[in-house]
Amino acid sequence: MEASTAGPDNPVSLVIAGALLIGASGIPGLFLPKKLDWGQKCASLTVVLGSILGIIGALATLFTERTASYTLVSSLPFGPLEAGIDPLSAFFLLPVFIVSACCAVYGTGYWPASHHPRTAPRLTFFFGMLASSLTLIPLARNGVLFLIFWEIMALSAYFALATDDLEQEVRDASLIYLVATHASTLTLFACFSLLKATAGSFSFPAATALDGTTPLGAAIFVTALLGFGLKAGVMPLHVWLPGAHASAPSHVSALMSGVLIKMGIYGIVRILSFFGMVPPWWGMVLLMAGIVSGILGVAFAVGQHDLKRLLAYHSIENIGIIVMGLGVALIGRGAGLPLLVVLGFGGALLHVLNHALFKSLLFLGAGAVIHEAGTREIDRLGGLGRRMPWTAALFLTGAVAICGLPPLNGFVSELLVYLGFFSGLVQEKGAAAPLLGLAAPALAMVGGMAVLCFVKVFGTVFLGQPRSADAAGCHEPGWAMRGPMLLLAILCAAIGLLPVALPRLLEPALFAWSPQLPFAGIRLAEAAPFGWITLMGLVLLLAILGIGAWLWKRVTDQPRGRAGTWDCGFARPTARMQYTASSFAEMFVNLFAAVLRPRVHPPQVQGLFPGKSAFSSHVPEAVLELVMAPLLAAMDRRFSLARKLQHGRLHLYILYIFVTLALLLAWAY
Amino acid sequence: MVNAVIHILITLLMPPLLLGVINRTKAIFAGRTGPPLFQAYYDLAKLVRKGSVFSDTTSWVFRAGPVVGLAATLAASLLIPLGEHRPPLSFSGDMILFAYLFGLARFCTTAAALDTGSSFEGMGAAREATFACLAEPALFFSLAVLARLSGSLSLTPMLTGTAATSWLSAGASLLLLVGSLFIVLLAENCRVPFDDPNTHLELTMIHEVMVLDHSGPLFGAILYGAALKLFVLGALFTDIALPYATGIPLVDWVLFVIAMLMLAVGIGMVESVMARLRLPKVPQMLAAACILAAFSLLLVLR
């Protein structure tokens, strides 16, 4: 690896140029006539251009394994602000650019300025800012610069999320998001201050330069886990996530779920890269957190009947899988087992990319459904597969991928994480072995529940008959919305069928995270059966095609009849008698009732000829409603005196800042 | 090469025979003559020559479900060693692909069931998917035990060679494991006491109620796929439970076939002496399987 300064041939220039283009994309739209679409269309074109530049830059960094850095001259009192790129940043940039470009194009069809003249220019602007800040965060090489980009991301995400601000639900979700993201930033202030105390300056230390076995190291680890965990949505710090993802416009949800929460993972990964020696409990804590997030995330998802809330809970599950992989890698680093580092970290990184692809695909698919049907309520949909065949097939691709099933990409990353567990189980003799033994069945259970959940969603939304007039009147959306989904689905299939190309992308990032690893002599290509996955994928596809062709010939050779679905002789079946998503999940929700706390409002049946009655059931956000809300209400009462200081008068706030600065100056001298 | 051909031939031809043996065993227990041993073959031959009826509600998903289900099960059958013989394909991590191929099959068959829009099929699909959430961890606990015992990450070394010696060194653990796997085997293949393959209109059914609307060649694919799944998971079970080996290839093939037939007789006996469990008891039984396998893992980790 060589460090170099920036020049025109340097990948970092490309990435920064891309980031600036994306950031500025929404500005023209603010000044153009609001009824016209072309401000928005120019913006999405700019985002696509910027993304292409950025992807070239990121790939060049990964293939050449170069690191490069800029030093920004600034008069801020935090030392030189360093920005740079290394393979680890470059890997996290890939999904950011891919998903940003897809979502920007999709947005022109989903939220056209001609239909939303009030909100579309604002949304386009903040979307650009958000995407741009997401590309800049991995470039920061200094704690202060990192936090500046982090705040830009947090605030632009808030404004993008609050687009539909006339809705009470959206305003509530945005507020919870704002509180959570500031709690995260506050914790990160502590984390980076502790890091400065350890490393001597706000500039990031070199990889594996610090010792994690000191108390200060432990404090940095815990604050990083809390601060970044809040952003990533690790259970039980996920409370902001379901509401925010559900309320945002779908392409913003896709960007948030696909990429924004991954910045929390990036933060954890980056902080962990500083520590060469780690105590064993770090990896075990991460693995436990991953198991809890994975199982509870998907369990809550099964109980949801709001399409986007359900997908949001799956983000928590997938963050759990990523954190499990990181936990295995950290156990490996602590115990000196390089194979675990390669498999665990490789699996976690690949799952970051994979989840970005299939989750944004699913959110865009959900957006197409919502755009057409006008409701997020799964139980009001049905039979959309006939009306929107493209969307149905693409959503199905995303659903199979997110369940981690072969032959798509989710399987490859989950396989790496599994191999990490099993290798650990075979090699590890210490205290981590039982935990690794528990992790494999836990991940299997997550996989089983994901299948349950996505069969439920796909079956209820796209199969059967429409359950309402909204669902019956749906049509296929235009190519502006279909195209990005198609691209994402193709990428999912490509990674799943041709994972042989992956080590070229993953290994540079892996070696940047753990520079001693190349000397251990374990390569990802040898540790994981990528060639076999391709072979088995082809065997599976050939078997499907062969059996399908033969059987279909048998079917068409013989007489074929059409009839209604078997109804047990019932005279007047209606579409409303179909199994709904809630009934599909009922058995599972009851099994997990102790955690999920479902609320059921059964009908009151009275008299011999009861009139109309209603049944409803709902799985609430248990952690928010049962833990966080009472806690915050109690704090609110306790601190009511301090709230007198906060009265909304801006000039007095500025006075506070002045007084604080003056006092700090006096203290410093 | 010869072994690979024999592997594929046995895998393709033997599964329906298992159903015949199970039914014959049940008939003998009940004092009946029962259907011929090869009845399942006759049924399949009849079904591929029959016409089909499709519901107006269904789409391509309904037609693809049985195809993908059978293809995934066939792909999984290439990974499992039969007796002491290596399978045609074997690599590090194949046990995970093995388990996930069944996941893919389950996704497609349950989605096909929901495509009919019938509440019956919805119920069956919901149960199939819910019970799998509990059966999968039991299977993975067992795989973890086998990985730890054999020190390998592939089904072939896990199930061949070391299994016999493991019985001597870690017998208690393997006994728990075999118990757990037998429960998983019965549950995954929808046998008594979890499901009754003989009836399909009762509200408590799982597999049979999911396939109510399928007919003709596609229904044949479903029946064959179910038999094949029983065969493949049964092979996993017998590889651990009956690890005889002589080292002579032909004798080992015969031993494997005998072991599978014994398993079929065993399943038939279980079905004869037990009634189906009440539906709320099924998750408890599957949780018991998980716990058995978890104890087995604790014993080998100690």
PDB file of all heavy atoms in Angstrom, chain B residues 261-291:
ATOM      1  N   LEU B 261     -34.677 -49.166   4.542  1.00  0.00           N
ATOM      2  CA  LEU B 261     -35.922 -49.920   4.679  1.00  0.00           C
ATOM      3  C   LEU B 261     -36.277 -50.073   6.152  1.00  0.00           C
ATOM      4  O   LEU B 261     -37.450 -49.967   6.543  1.00  0.00           O
ATOM      5  CB  LEU B 261     -35.793 -51.281   3.994  1.00  0.00           C
ATOM      6  CG  LEU B 261     -35.637 -51.190   2.472  1.00  0.00           C
ATOM      7  CD1 LEU B 261     -35.441 -52.573   1.875  1.00  0.00           C
ATOM      8  CD2 LEU B 261     -36.844 -50.508   1.847  1.00  0.00           C
ATOM      9  N   MET B 262     -35.240 -50.282   6.997  1.00  0.00           N
ATOM     10  CA  MET B 262     -35.501 -50.385   8.435  1.00  0.00           C
ATOM     11  C   MET B 262     -36.085 -49.080   8.963  1.00  0.00           C
ATOM     12  O   MET B 262     -36.998 -49.078   9.805  1.00  0.00           O
ATOM     13  CB  MET B 262     -34.199 -50.716   9.184  1.00  0.00           C
ATOM     14  CG  MET B 262     -33.835 -52.191   9.122  1.00  0.00           C
ATOM     15  SD  MET B 262     -32.146 -52.485   9.687  1.00  0.00           S
ATOM     16  CE  MET B 262     -32.237 -51.908  11.371  1.00  0.00           C
ATOM     17  N   LEU B 263     -35.538 -47.967   8.458  1.00  0.00           N
ATOM     18  CA  LEU B 263     -36.061 -46.666   8.895  1.00  0.00           C
ATOM     19  C   LEU B 263     -37.537 -46.553   8.513  1.00  0.00           C
ATOM     20  O   LEU B 263     -38.375 -46.091   9.315  1.00  0.00           O
ATOM     21  CB  LEU B 263     -35.257 -45.536   8.253  1.00  0.00           C
ATOM     22  CG  LEU B 263     -35.814 -44.141   8.504  1.00  0.00           C
ATOM     23  CD1 LEU B 263     -35.635 -43.754   9.951  1.00  0.00           C
ATOM     24  CD2 LEU B 263     -35.153 -43.111   7.604  1.00  0.00           C
ATOM     25  N   ALA B 264     -37.858 -46.993   7.277  1.00  0.00           N
ATOM     26  CA  ALA B 264     -39.251 -46.892   6.827  1.00  0.00           C
ATOM     27  C   ALA B 264     -40.145 -47.747   7.717  1.00  0.00           C
ATOM     28  O   ALA B 264     -41.239 -47.322   8.111  1.00  0.00           O
ATOM     29  CB  ALA B 264     -39.352 -47.326   5.369  1.00  0.00           C
ATOM     30  N   VAL B 265     -39.670 -48.954   8.068  1.00  0.00           N
ATOM     31  CA  VAL B 265     -40.453 -49.798   8.972  1.00  0.00           C
ATOM     32  C   VAL B 265     -40.629 -49.089  10.309  1.00  0.00           C
ATOM     33  O   VAL B 265     -41.727 -49.065  10.897  1.00  0.00           O
ATOM     34  CB  VAL B 265     -39.749 -51.165   9.157  1.00  0.00           C
ATOM     35  CG1 VAL B 265     -40.445 -51.975  10.232  1.00  0.00           C
ATOM     36  CG2 VAL B 265     -39.733 -51.924   7.853  1.00  0.00           C
ATOM     37  N   GLY B 266     -39.549 -48.446  10.783  1.00  0.00           N
ATOM     38  CA  GLY B 266     -39.618 -47.721  12.057  1.00  0.00           C
ATOM     39  C   GLY B 266     -40.665 -46.624  12.008  1.00  0.00           C
ATOM     40  O   GLY B 266     -41.470 -46.468  12.938  1.00  0.00           O
ATOM     41  N   ILE B 267     -40.653 -45.851  10.925  1.00  0.00           N
ATOM     42  CA  ILE B 267     -41.634 -44.774  10.805  1.00  0.00           C
ATOM     43  C   ILE B 267     -43.042 -45.365  10.784  1.00  0.00           C
ATOM     44  O   ILE B 267     -43.967 -44.861  11.431  1.00  0.00           O
ATOM     45  CB  ILE B 267     -41.360 -43.944   9.541  1.00  0.00           C
ATOM     46  CG1 ILE B 267     -40.046 -43.198   9.685  1.00  0.00           C
ATOM     47  CG2 ILE B 267     -42.485 -42.944   9.300  1.00  0.00           C
ATOM     48  CD1 ILE B 267     -39.625 -42.442   8.450  1.00  0.00           C
ATOM     49  N   GLY B 268     -43.192 -46.483  10.042  1.00  0.00           N
ATOM     50  CA  GLY B 268     -44.502 -47.126   9.980  1.00  0.00           C
ATOM     51  C   GLY B 268     -44.963 -47.576  11.357  1.00  0.00           C
ATOM     52  O   GLY B 268     -46.143 -47.446  11.709  1.00  0.00           O
ATOM     53  N   MET B 269     -44.026 -48.074  12.177  1.00  0.00           N
ATOM     54  CA  MET B 269     -44.399 -48.511  13.523  1.00  0.00           C
ATOM     55  C   MET B 269     -44.824 -47.316  14.369  1.00  0.00           C
ATOM     56  O   MET B 269     -45.829 -47.373  15.085  1.00  0.00           O
ATOM     57  CB  MET B 269     -43.228 -49.268  14.170  1.00  0.00           C
ATOM     58  CG  MET B 269     -43.155 -50.700  13.671  1.00  0.00           C
ATOM     59  SD  MET B 269     -41.577 -51.522  13.895  1.00  0.00           S
ATOM     60  CE  MET B 269     -41.172 -51.228  15.574  1.00  0.00           C
ATOM     61  N   VAL B 270     -44.063 -46.213  14.268  1.00  0.00           N
ATOM     62  CA  VAL B 270     -44.436 -45.003  15.023  1.00  0.00           C
ATOM     63  C   VAL B 270     -45.842 -44.576  14.629  1.00  0.00           C
ATOM     64  O   VAL B 270     -46.678 -44.245  15.479  1.00  0.00           O
ATOM     65  CB  VAL B 270     -43.422 -43.869  14.776  1.00  0.00           C
ATOM     66  CG1 VAL B 270     -43.942 -42.560  15.336  1.00  0.00           C
ATOM     67  CG2 VAL B 270     -42.093 -44.210  15.385  1.00  0.00           C
ATOM     68  N   GLU B 271     -46.115 -44.608  13.319  1.00  0.00           N
ATOM     69  CA  GLU B 271     -47.428 -44.159  12.861  1.00  0.00           C
ATOM     70  C   GLU B 271     -48.530 -45.101  13.321  1.00  0.00           C
ATOM     71  O   GLU B 271     -49.682 -44.683  13.478  1.00  0.00           O
ATOM     72  CB  GLU B 271     -47.431 -44.028  11.333  1.00  0.00           C
ATOM     73  CG  GLU B 271     -46.433 -43.011  10.851  1.00  0.00           C
ATOM     74  CD  GLU B 271     -46.808 -42.398   9.514  1.00  0.00           C
ATOM     75  OE1 GLU B 271     -47.776 -42.846   8.907  1.00  0.00           O
ATOM     76  OE2 GLU B 271     -46.108 -41.447   9.118  1.00  0.00           O
ATOM     77  N   SER B 272     -48.180 -46.368  13.498  1.00  0.00           N
ATOM     78  CA  SER B 272     -49.207 -47.316  13.907  1.00  0.00           C
ATOM     79  C   SER B 272     -49.548 -47.183  15.379  1.00  0.00           C
ATOM     80  O   SER B 272     -50.702 -47.365  15.768  1.00  0.00           O
ATOM     81  CB  SER B 272     -48.732 -48.747  13.641  1.00  0.00           C
ATOM     82  OG  SER B 272     -48.350 -48.888  12.310  1.00  0.00           O
ATOM     83  N   VAL B 273     -48.544 -46.901  16.199  1.00  0.00           N
ATOM     84  CA  VAL B 273     -48.799 -46.914  17.640  1.00  0.00           C
ATOM     85  C   VAL B 273     -49.131 -45.532  18.191  1.00  0.00           C
ATOM     86  O   VAL B 273     -49.554 -45.410  19.331  1.00  0.00           O
ATOM     87  CB  VAL B 273     -47.600 -47.494  18.430  1.00  0.00           C
ATOM     88  CG1 VAL B 273     -47.336 -48.919  18.001  1.00  0.00           C
ATOM     89  CG2 VAL B 273     -46.367 -46.635  18.246  1.00  0.00           C
ATOM     90  N   MET B 274     -48.929 -44.487  17.413  1.00  0.00           N
ATOM     91  CA  MET B 274     -49.184 -43.138  17.937  1.00  0.00           C
ATOM     92  C   MET B 274     -50.347 -42.494  17.201  1.00  0.00           C
ATOM     93  O   MET B 274     -50.592 -42.767  16.038  1.00  0.00           O
ATOM     94  CB  MET B 274     -47.967 -42.252  17.752  1.00  0.00           C
ATOM     95  CG  MET B 274     -46.904 -42.442  18.803  1.00  0.00           C
ATOM     96  SD  MET B 274     -45.634 -41.201  18.649  1.00  0.00           S
ATOM     97  CE  MET B 274     -46.360 -39.886  19.606  1.00  0.00           C
ATOM     98  N   ALA B 275     -51.028 -41.606  17.907  1.00  0.00           N
ATOM     99  CA  ALA B 275     -52.024 -40.763  17.247  1.00  0.00           C
ATOM    100  C   ALA B 275     -51.379 -39.424  16.942  1.00  0.00           C
ATOM    101  O   ALA B 275     -50.329 -39.093  17.490  1.00  0.00           O
ATOM    102  CB  ALA B 275     -53.229 -40.567  18.137  1.00  0.00           C
ATOM    103  N   ARG B 276     -52.019 -38.674  16.062  1.00  0.00           N
ATOM    104  CA  ARG B 276     -51.487 -37.350  15.758  1.00  0.00           C
ATOM    105  C   ARG B 276     -51.627 -36.457  16.989  1.00  0.00           C
ATOM    106  O   ARG B 276     -52.612 -36.513  17.718  1.00  0.00           O
ATOM    107  CB  ARG B 276     -52.246 -36.765  14.577  1.00  0.00           C
ATOM    108  CG  ARG B 276     -51.687 -35.478  14.086  1.00  0.00           C
ATOM    109  CD  ARG B 276     -52.301 -35.090  12.758  1.00  0.00           C
ATOM    110  NE  ARG B 276     -53.730 -35.343  12.694  1.00  0.00           N
ATOM    111  CZ  ARG B 276     -54.630 -34.658  13.366  1.00  0.00           C
ATOM    112  NH1 ARG B 276     -54.250 -33.695  14.173  1.00  0.00           N
ATOM    113  NH2 ARG B 276     -55.897 -34.943  13.252  1.00  0.00           N
ATOM    114  N   LEU B 277     -50.616 -35.613  17.197  1.00  0.00           N
ATOM    115  CA  LEU B 277     -50.661 -34.678  18.320  1.00  0.00           C
ATOM    116  C   LEU B 277     -51.674 -33.576  18.036  1.00  0.00           C
ATOM    117  O   LEU B 277     -51.904 -33.223  16.884  1.00  0.00           O
ATOM    118  CB  LEU B 277     -49.292 -34.026  18.518  1.00  0.00           C
ATOM    119  CG  LEU B 277     -48.180 -34.872  19.084  1.00  0.00           C
ATOM    120  CD1 LEU B 277     -46.899 -34.066  19.038  1.00  0.00           C
ATOM    121  CD2 LEU B 277     -48.502 -35.249  20.511  1.00  0.00           C
ATOM    122  N   ARG B 278     -52.226 -33.018  19.115  1.00  0.00           N
ATOM    123  CA  ARG B 278     -53.031 -31.821  18.924  1.00  0.00           C
ATOM    124  C   ARG B 278     -52.128 -30.705  18.438  1.00  0.00           C
ATOM    125  O   ARG B 278     -50.952 -30.620  18.821  1.00  0.00           O
ATOM    126  CB  ARG B 278     -53.679 -31.416  20.242  1.00  0.00           C
ATOM    127  CG  ARG B 278     -55.006 -32.097  20.489  1.00  0.00           C
ATOM    128  CD  ARG B 278     -55.458 -31.851  21.905  1.00  0.00           C
ATOM    129  NE  ARG B 278     -55.467 -30.435  22.209  1.00  0.00           N
ATOM    130  CZ  ARG B 278     -55.020 -29.924  23.352  1.00  0.00           C
ATOM    131  NH1 ARG B 278     -54.533 -30.714  24.277  1.00  0.00           N
ATOM    132  NH2 ARG B 278     -55.058 -28.638  23.568  1.00  0.00           N
ATOM    133  N   LEU B 279     -52.670 -29.838  17.612  1.00  0.00           N
ATOM    134  CA  LEU B 279     -51.833 -28.835  16.951  1.00  0.00           C
ATOM    135  C   LEU B 279     -51.000 -27.985  17.925  1.00  0.00           C
ATOM    136  O   LEU B 279     -49.816 -27.755  17.686  1.00  0.00           O
ATOM    137  CB  LEU B 279     -52.710 -27.942  16.072  1.00  0.00           C
ATOM    138  CG  LEU B 279     -51.943 -27.244  14.973  1.00  0.00           C
ATOM    139  CD1 LEU B 279     -51.346 -28.238  14.018  1.00  0.00           C
ATOM    140  CD2 LEU B 279     -52.862 -26.291  14.233  1.00  0.00           C
ATOM    141  N   PRO B 280     -51.580 -27.518  19.056  1.00  0.00           N
ATOM    142  CA  PRO B 280     -50.767 -26.699  19.964  1.00  0.00           C
ATOM    143  C   PRO B 280     -49.602 -27.451  20.585  1.00  0.00           C
ATOM    144  O   PRO B 280     -48.669 -26.843  21.094  1.00  0.00           O
ATOM    145  CB  PRO B 280     -51.764 -26.264  21.046  1.00  0.00           C
ATOM    146  CG  PRO B 280     -53.107 -26.470  20.451  1.00  0.00           C
ATOM    147  CD  PRO B 280     -52.981 -27.597  19.502  1.00  0.00           C
ATOM    148  N   LYS B 281     -49.670 -28.820  20.535  1.00  0.00           N
ATOM    149  CA  LYS B 281     -48.573 -29.597  21.128  1.00  0.00           C
ATOM    150  C   LYS B 281     -47.376 -29.682  20.182  1.00  0.00           C
ATOM    151  O   LYS B 281     -46.276 -29.995  20.624  1.00  0.00           O
ATOM    152  CB  LYS B 281     -49.047 -31.026  21.421  1.00  0.00           C
ATOM    153  CG  LYS B 281     -50.161 -31.115  22.424  1.00  0.00           C
ATOM    154  CD  LYS B 281     -49.609 -31.182  23.818  1.00  0.00           C
ATOM    155  CE  LYS B 281     -50.751 -31.243  24.836  1.00  0.00           C
ATOM    156  NZ  LYS B 281     -50.324 -30.762  26.141  1.00  0.00           N
ATOM    157  N   VAL B 282     -47.615 -29.448  18.886  1.00  0.00           N
ATOM    158  CA  VAL B 282     -46.541 -29.654  17.918  1.00  0.00           C
ATOM    159  C   VAL B 282     -45.344 -28.741  18.199  1.00  0.00           C
ATOM    160  O   VAL B 282     -44.203 -29.207  18.234  1.00  0.00           O
ATOM    161  CB  VAL B 282     -47.080 -29.472  16.489  1.00  0.00           C
ATOM    162  CG1 VAL B 282     -45.957 -29.456  15.482  1.00  0.00           C
ATOM    163  CG2 VAL B 282     -48.058 -30.578  16.162  1.00  0.00           C
ATOM    164  N   PRO B 283     -45.550 -27.423  18.427  1.00  0.00           N
ATOM    165  CA  PRO B 283     -44.393 -26.582  18.720  1.00  0.00           C
ATOM    166  C   PRO B 283     -43.635 -27.039  19.955  1.00  0.00           C
ATOM    167  O   PRO B 283     -42.401 -26.962  19.985  1.00  0.00           O
ATOM    168  CB  PRO B 283     -45.007 -25.200  18.946  1.00  0.00           C
ATOM    169  CG  PRO B 283     -46.307 -25.227  18.250  1.00  0.00           C
ATOM    170  CD  PRO B 283     -46.789 -26.632  18.347  1.00  0.00           C
ATOM    171  N   GLN B 284     -44.372 -27.576  20.951  1.00  0.00           N
ATOM    172  CA  GLN B 284     -43.674 -28.047  22.155  1.00  0.00           C
ATOM    173  C   GLN B 284     -42.759 -29.209  21.822  1.00  0.00           C
ATOM    174  O   GLN B 284     -41.630 -29.291  22.313  1.00  0.00           O
ATOM    175  CB  GLN B 284     -44.684 -28.472  23.211  1.00  0.00           C
ATOM    176  CG  GLN B 284     -45.568 -27.331  23.677  1.00  0.00           C
ATOM    177  CD  GLN B 284     -46.672 -27.796  24.598  1.00  0.00           C
ATOM    178  OE1 GLN B 284     -46.686 -28.935  25.039  1.00  0.00           O
ATOM    179  NE2 GLN B 284     -47.610 -26.905  24.880  1.00  0.00           N
ATOM    180  N   MET B 285     -43.260 -30.104  20.979  1.00  0.00           N
ATOM    181  CA  MET B 285     -42.463 -31.263  20.578  1.00  0.00           C
ATOM    182  C   MET B 285     -41.213 -30.816  19.826  1.00  0.00           C
ATOM    183  O   MET B 285     -40.121 -31.341  20.045  1.00  0.00           O
ATOM    184  CB  MET B 285     -43.337 -32.139  19.677  1.00  0.00           C
ATOM    185  CG  MET B 285     -42.776 -33.477  19.370  1.00  0.00           C
ATOM    186  SD  MET B 285     -42.991 -34.569  20.766  1.00  0.00           S
ATOM    187  CE  MET B 285     -42.282 -36.061  20.098  1.00  0.00           C
ATOM    188  N   LEU B 286     -41.385 -29.806  18.953  1.00  0.00           N
ATOM    189  CA  LEU B 286     -40.233 -29.339  18.181  1.00  0.00           C
ATOM    190  C   LEU B 286     -39.242 -28.614  19.090  1.00  0.00           C
ATOM    191  O   LEU B 286     -38.025 -28.737  18.923  1.00  0.00           O
ATOM    192  CB  LEU B 286     -40.705 -28.419  17.063  1.00  0.00           C
ATOM    193  CG  LEU B 286     -41.379 -29.150  15.921  1.00  0.00           C
ATOM    194  CD1 LEU B 286     -42.025 -28.184  14.972  1.00  0.00           C
ATOM    195  CD2 LEU B 286     -40.357 -29.994  15.185  1.00  0.00           C
ATOM    196  N   ALA B 287     -39.761 -27.877  20.064  1.00  0.00           N
ATOM    197  CA  ALA B 287     -38.865 -27.227  21.016  1.00  0.00           C
ATOM    198  C   ALA B 287     -38.092 -28.283  21.781  1.00  0.00           C
ATOM    199  O   ALA B 287     -36.894 -28.124  22.054  1.00  0.00           O
ATOM    200  CB  ALA B 287     -39.661 -26.342  21.964  1.00  0.00           C
ATOM    201  N   ALA B 288     -38.763 -29.400  22.099  1.00  0.00           N
ATOM    202  CA  ALA B 288     -38.062 -30.498  22.788  1.00  0.00           C
ATOM    203  C   ALA B 288     -36.927 -31.015  21.920  1.00  0.00           C
ATOM    204  O   ALA B 288     -35.835 -31.299  22.423  1.00  0.00           O
ATOM    205  CB  ALA B 288     -39.046 -31.607  23.105  1.00  0.00           C
ATOM    206  N   ALA B 289     -37.178 -31.111  20.598  1.00  0.00           N
ATOM    207  CA  ALA B 289     -36.111 -31.572  19.705  1.00  0.00           C
ATOM    208  C   ALA B 289     -34.924 -30.624  19.750  1.00  0.00           C
ATOM    209  O   ALA B 289     -33.764 -31.050  19.799  1.00  0.00           O
ATOM    210  CB  ALA B 289     -36.637 -31.690  18.278  1.00  0.00           C
ATOM    211  N   CYS B 290     -35.210 -29.299  19.756  1.00  0.00           N
ATOM    212  CA  CYS B 290     -34.131 -28.307  19.851  1.00  0.00           C
ATOM    213  C   CYS B 290     -33.334 -28.510  21.123  1.00  0.00           C
ATOM    214  O   CYS B 290     -32.105 -28.466  21.126  1.00  0.00           O
ATOM    215  CB  CYS B 290     -34.703 -26.902  19.889  1.00  0.00           C
ATOM    216  SG  CYS B 290     -35.184 -26.293  18.318  1.00  0.00           S
ATOM    217  N   ILE B 291     -34.056 -28.729  22.230  1.00  0.00           N
ATOM    218  CA  ILE B 291     -33.370 -28.813  23.517  1.00  0.00           C
ATOM    219  C   ILE B 291     -32.527 -30.077  23.586  1.00  0.00           C
ATOM    220  O   ILE B 291     -31.399 -30.062  24.079  1.00  0.00           O
ATOM    221  CB  ILE B 291     -34.398 -28.727  24.655  1.00  0.00           C
ATOM    222  CG1 ILE B 291     -34.994 -27.323  24.658  1.00  0.00           C
ATOM    223  CG2 ILE B 291     -33.777 -29.032  25.985  1.00  0.00           C
ATOM    224  CD1 ILE B 291     -36.245 -27.188  25.435  1.00  0.00           C
TER     225      ILE B 291
END
